[in-house]
Amino acid sequence: MCGIALVVSGVGIDLSSIFVDYSTFHPQQQQQLVFSFDDLKAALSRRGPDSLGRKKLLLQSNHQEILLSLTEEDYCVSSSSSSVDHVEAQLFFIGATLQLRGLIPIIQPLVDAYRNILVYNGEIFGGIHVGSEDNDARILMHTLAQCCSCNSYCNGIACHCKGNGQSSIVDVLSTIKGPWALIYWQNSSRTLWFGRDAIGRRSLLVHWPTKEDSRLLLSSVSPPSSFAQIPDFEAEIGSSKVNFWEELPCGIYSLSMDVLNGCFVGEIKKHEWSNTMLKELINWERILVEPKSEELHLSHCQPNGGQNHMHSTYSNIMATDSGNIQASVSVSVQNVLTALRKSVMRRTSLNAIFQAVTCDRRQEELAPVAVLFSGGLDSMILAALLNECLDPSYEIDLLNVSFDGQFAPDRISAEAGVKELRRIAPLRRWKLVEIDAELSNLTSETKHVMSLINPANTYMDLNIGIALWLAAGGDGWLYEGVTYDDDGNQRGVKYVSKSRIILVGSGADEQCAGYGRHRTKYRHGSWLELHEEMKLDMQRIWKRNLGRDDRCCADNGKEARFPFLDEDVIRTLLDVPLWEVANLDQPSGTGDKKILREVANVLGLYEAAVLPKRAIQFGSRIARESNRKNFGSNRAANQASAGSVVISKQNLV
């Protein structure tokens, strides 16, 4: 996980190609923002604590050619009184690094011999080969340097350089499997490239140039001053105020620089992905949506929900790594389990960086990978698969947050879950890290998280953000094998998780019909309406969930990884008939996320396989505490439509 940012000033930027009606883009009231670059660097450093670097690219024109100079000076406002002989523009890059791969420490921004500049926040799990001792940012920098600079894509023309053995930047970025956000200056073409992966698993915020502030700004996170400058951080529904920052829509963008009439100008363009499979994942179309009556009947009657599609058969037995043998496991379940296992393996393969960082610790005490853990279906599957993929000598931290001590539903299910994990993997040392909090004692922390969730601004976002932020911090207690005091209470041992990788179950509900609204759509509509609702969820997950979740976890210097959102997992689930993914005629805990429940059974997680869906804000009970604090009661909060209500700072004091 890294923190990246860019400020472009002194360039007249045309946005007409990415906004349908550019004339109505500028709002009547635009939030003003004057933030400290020290605050921005501090916010990025929390995401990337290993190193922080900056580069300032100064572009100057004498009307004959564009001259470049590259320094490590801090950003400064360009003088508006450029001389008649030359004009100038600034591109200020910031990179903060949490290094998880590679033997050699790196400092971003990366600059190569051709004066290309890269700041990268992501992981390459496929598409481009990264050796076990290599760093993905360095490999990507080398790959991008070999790309053509014909600017065909920028001009809406197909690139023909492949015949010369060169790829375009769009082609390279379209091949990457894994989460990423980047900013790249291609020096030979005087073009700035930026974007985020097609699913949106890494945060990148944007401030598009406006009449009030003509700069283009990109950042992994908004600095606290972004929040502080907003007078009330609230707006009535329909207000004309627009947040300074917004989530950058997923995709690849370019800005080519030129000089026109004595001024630097450029047009931002958005490019189509060139990878066919990626386009299919974005469209999220399932071939088999509506079953025939006989298919549905047989599916419900056969073991584990059954399967009757002509391309699907049953294996009589299936042995798992944990030794469990399951009869009549469908091919679809096997395929999903295999895809998930490979996804977890890709996200937890340890390389030399861990040995370099942790050589002073006893190996058996090391827990390099943690799980955001509620004890529910999704986190139990991830924990069980992590056990299969991780060397047995490593510990596994299970991070559980509660706002009601031992009585929160997620704490109860977590304690039951760790017992089940110890049953199927008794040789693994599991650490249930119990993170307890009281909302009334988190005033400053709440304001900090409000800056992290920005531009999201509802109480639901805030509640989820606080829970994720605390859980990812890993600052809690261990109670396993400890002593008791005179009153019979366990004496916990204070523990702070050092895991820098956290597995998170995001994407499971969207893809497997885990939300209540999915059941409502199905009952009031049809299989097709259920599919359309799930498709909508997947196509907006970048805006509603992933950017926020990335920022809240990364603020602790931890990297959230989402195995359910692996490209191959998404493709595998789309290949499964919808009626085998979910059967919403059955009750909660049975028919929702049916295929994942069958996966859990194969893994031996029989108790977890029947647990109902419970969102983190409800399972941790932060929603209840928030409703009481801000509305007086849960009933009052429901009447005020809590969860869609916009936050007001005065309510948080």
Side-chain angles (χ1 to χ4, degrees), residues 341-399:
R341 183 181 284 117
K342 290 180 178 179
S343 174
V344 172
M345 177 66 78
R346 279 191 284 270
R347 284 157 177 78
T348 57
S349 295
L350 305 182
N351 51 35
I353 185 66
F354 286 107
Q355 282 72 41
V357 170
T358 59
C359 58
D360 59 336
R361 296 181 59 189
R362 289 195 305 153
Q363 182 163 315
E364 64 270 20
E365 293 181 351
L366 179 63
V369 185
V371 180
L372 191 66
F373 190 72
S374 66
L377 175 65
D378 309 334
S379 62
M380 285 289 287
I381 289 175
L382 294 182
L385 291 177
L386 177 59
N387 171 68
E388 294 182 8
C389 298
L390 202 61
D391 188 286
S393 62
Y394 292 118
E395 302 169 348
I396 295 178
D397 287 347
L398 306 172
L399 309 178

Side-chain angles (χ1 to χ4, degrees), residues 195-240:
R196 59 196 294 209
D197 72 78
I199 303 167
R201 292 162 291 187
R202 288 291 171 260
S203 169
L204 192 59
L205 304 180
V206 62
H207 165 72
W208 301 113
T210 63
K211 293 177 181 178
E212 294 81 6
D213 190 334
S214 62
R215 297 174 298 176
L216 170 68
L217 290 88
L218 298 164
S219 179
S220 299
V221 63
S222 70
S225 49
S226 298
F227 174 77
Q229 292 292 326
I230 302 172
D232 225 355
F233 198 46
E234 66 175 347
E236 296 297 330
I237 301 300
S239 169
S240 59

